Amino acid sequence: MTERKDQILDAAIALADERGMDAVSMRTVAERVGVTPMALYPHVGSKAALLEGMLGRVLGELNFAAGTDAYRPSWQDRLNDLGHAARALVRRRPWVAALIFARPSVAPDAARVVDEIYQALLDAGVPEAEVPRLERLVSTFVIGYAASEAAGRFGPAGLDLRVTRGQLPGGELPGHARVADWLSPLPDWDAEFDADMADLERLIEARARPQRAR
Amino acid sequence: MTERKDQILDAAIALADERGMDAVSMRTVAERVGVTPMALYPHVGSKAALLEGMLGRVLGELNFAAGTDAYRPSWQDRLNDLGHAARALVRRRPWVAALIFARPSVAPDAARVVDEIYQALLDAGVPEAEVPRLERLVSTFVIGYAASEAAGRFGPAGLDLRVTRGQLPGGELPGHARVADWLSPLPDWDAEFDADMADLERLIEARARPQRAR
DNA sequence: ACCTGAACACCGTTCAAGT
DNA sequence: ACCTGAACACCGTTCAAGT
């Protein structure tokens, strides 16, 4: 007895995966379920609620290595793994990125992920009062990085040749001129993300008090 | 002789400011300009191009203290000022946040801002090879933070009481339980952003080589 | 070159009706 | 309780026609 709501969410997610977010409408989802558009409403409420449900479902499926009771990886490894899992999710389903920043809330499905970051920060020795802020800092960066990749914000569209040469109609760009040698070719985004995570881990260590023995 | 294109962008931006992004359609913009919807096409090309133009315009109006030739503030102050200017822009026009992450590119209007960050990083003593990566790290965080505020991702919707108490249907949330005292009330977001920027500036200093005398 | 009017192929959602 | 069919008030965009 699969709930009809699950069937609807499955259809909507499959549609977004295959033809992009623009192809997801009450009409196309209904057609895929084999039902009239209006038949969706008792189950999902509205289109906005349907999107919320889609986001909740894929976040619930996000896999990361939390370890077992017997053995947990270092907090650095767990944080890295979480970051890579989030990035892999967005690479596999680019439509997720826009949804995370567009929707007002993320709902309890995301709490599991947030809790994992809290635990990593606590294990790193960050004082409890600082943990929520640093969780927001890290998750904002990770989601923003994944969203930027998905939307193509990091180029190559962003930097045409005039810009990389430090010249722009109506003004000079001295900063671009000085770093021009490192603007193209574009970097390895995996390596850049690793370097960023390493920098953020150093930032976390700087905020940590020495660990008490357990 | 104001260009008709400028008139169209003005109307679209005013509409987004007054009634939100959802109220911006070719039909409503055309009505505001006093023209038929189809009359917009020769000037803006398409709805997607119209959105791109709106983003370009507001980014072009972004004000930050670059200083004068005679006196430039410290790189820390310039970076802080830029971050606050971006955040103020998104607070004033929340529709900008979604646009930045949704559109594939940001176009040359953003290059001026990127260049300012490049210069701040260079002045901080960051090696040229590391500058583009750190620019992306900082700008990704700043835009992500502003977008999170605009969309309400930071709560209070995110944390209902069961979650803050560390209990969730179907699982424990030990991290939430330990930091519960600092989850509510919600923090002062201005102070949090300042603390984040200070942490990022320390991260930048850690990547810097000692400055050569000029 | 710039604009209009009608039309096409879509949207999300309401409402009354069926079983 | 769950679903259908028709309708309402919208979309972005094409196309032929006007000046």
Side-chain angles (χ1 to χ4, degrees), chain B:
Chain B
M1 51 149 78
T2 44
E3 292 277 352
R4 179 121 277 196
K5 183 175 181 182
D6 292 327
Q7 217 181 116
I8 294 169
L9 289 179
D10 286 342
I13 289 168
L15 222 35
D17 286 347
E18 288 164 23
R19 308 206 274 122
M21 202 68 237
D22 286 350
V24 177
S25 74
M26 299 306 270
R27 281 167 166 87
T28 55
V29 172
E31 191 188 18
R32 194 159 185 131
V33 175
V35 101
T36 263
M38 285 318 301
L40 304 180
Y41 281 81
H43 299 103
V44 298
S46 69
K47 170 115 188 240
L50 172 64
L51 299 183
E52 189 81 39
M54 291 169 69
L55 183 58
R57 168 78 127 259
V58 298
L59 286 182
E61 286 168 2
L62 192 135
N63 278 328
F64 48 88
T68 63
D69 282 349
Y71 172 72
R72 308 203 86 199
S74 71
W75 66 267
Q76 290 96 334
D77 286 350
R78 274 145 54 211
L79 218 52
N80 254 302
D81 198 68
L82 200 49
H84 281 97
R87 218 158 70 86
L89 168 64
V90 174
R91 208 182 302 106
R92 194 172 174 71
R93 309 199 208 257
W95 51 270
V96 172
L99 238 47
I100 289 182
F101 277 122
R103 306 267 74 222
S105 125
V106 163
D109 301 274
R112 206 178 103 254
V113 183
V114 171
D115 205 76
E116 185 65 23
I117 303 178
Y118 284 166
Q119 290 182 57
L121 293 171
L122 288 166
D123 287 355
V126 173
E128 290 169 4
E130 294 252 43
V131 164
R133 176 176 74 85
L134 288 177
E135 184 280 324
R136 283 186 287 265
L137 194 161
V138 170
S139 64
T140 296
F141 170 75
V142 170
I143 299 170
Y145 192 92
S148 296
E149 282 186 292
R153 189 179 75 88
F154 287 157
L159 20 107
D160 66 315
L161 281 182
R162 285 164 317 165
V163 170
T164 56
R165 286 198 191 114
Q167 300 281 349
L168 196 74
E172 302 276 321
L173 292 175
H176 284 74
R178 279 188 60 190
V179 302
D181 288 349
W182 286 272
L183 288 180
S184 69
L186 290 173
D188 175 344
W189 300 118
D190 288 338
E192 170 145 333
F193 185 75
D194 286 338
D196 288 346
M197 287 301 284
D199 272 350
L200 289 178
E201 279 157 18
R202 243 186 310 259
L203 186 157
I204 289 163
E205 275 160 7
R207 283 277 139 270
R209 290 153 168 271
Q211 275 283 55
R212 293 194 303 146
R214 352 185 192 178

Side-chain angles (χ1 to χ4, degrees), chain A residues 32-177:
Chain A
R32 193 158 187 134
V33 175
V35 100
T36 264
M38 285 318 301
L40 304 181
Y41 281 81
H43 299 103
V44 299
S46 67
K47 169 117 190 237
L50 172 64
L51 299 184
E52 190 80 37
M54 291 169 69
L55 184 58
R57 169 77 126 260
V58 298
L59 286 182
E61 287 168 1
L62 191 134
N63 278 328
F64 49 88
T68 65
D69 283 351
Y71 172 72
R72 307 203 86 198
S74 71
W75 67 267
Q76 289 95 335
D77 285 350
R78 274 145 54 212
L79 218 52
N80 255 302
D81 199 67
L82 200 50
H84 281 97
R87 218 158 69 87
L89 168 64
V90 174
R91 210 182 300 107
R92 195 173 173 70
R93 307 199 209 257
W95 52 269
V96 173
L99 239 46
I100 290 183
F101 277 122
R103 305 265 74 223
S105 126
V106 163
D109 302 274
R112 206 178 104 255
V113 182
V114 172
D115 205 75
E116 185 66 22
I117 303 177
Y118 284 167
Q119 290 182 56
L121 294 170
L122 289 165
D123 286 355
V126 172
E128 290 169 3
E130 295 251 45
V131 164
R133 175 176 74 85
L134 288 177
E135 185 280 324
R136 285 185 286 265
L137 194 160
V138 171
S139 64
T140 296
F141 170 75
V142 170
I143 298 169
Y145 192 92
S148 297
E149 282 186 292
R153 188 178 77 87
F154 287 158
L159 21 107
D160 65 314
L161 280 183
R162 285 165 317 166
V163 169
T164 56
R165 288 200 189 113
Q167 299 282 348
L168 196 74
E172 302 276 320
L173 293 174
H176 284 73

Side-chain angles (χ1 to χ4, degrees), chain A residues 25-28 38 41 47:
Chain A
S25 74
M26 300 305 272
R27 283 168 166 88
T28 55
M38 285 318 301
Y41 281 81
K47 169 117 190 237

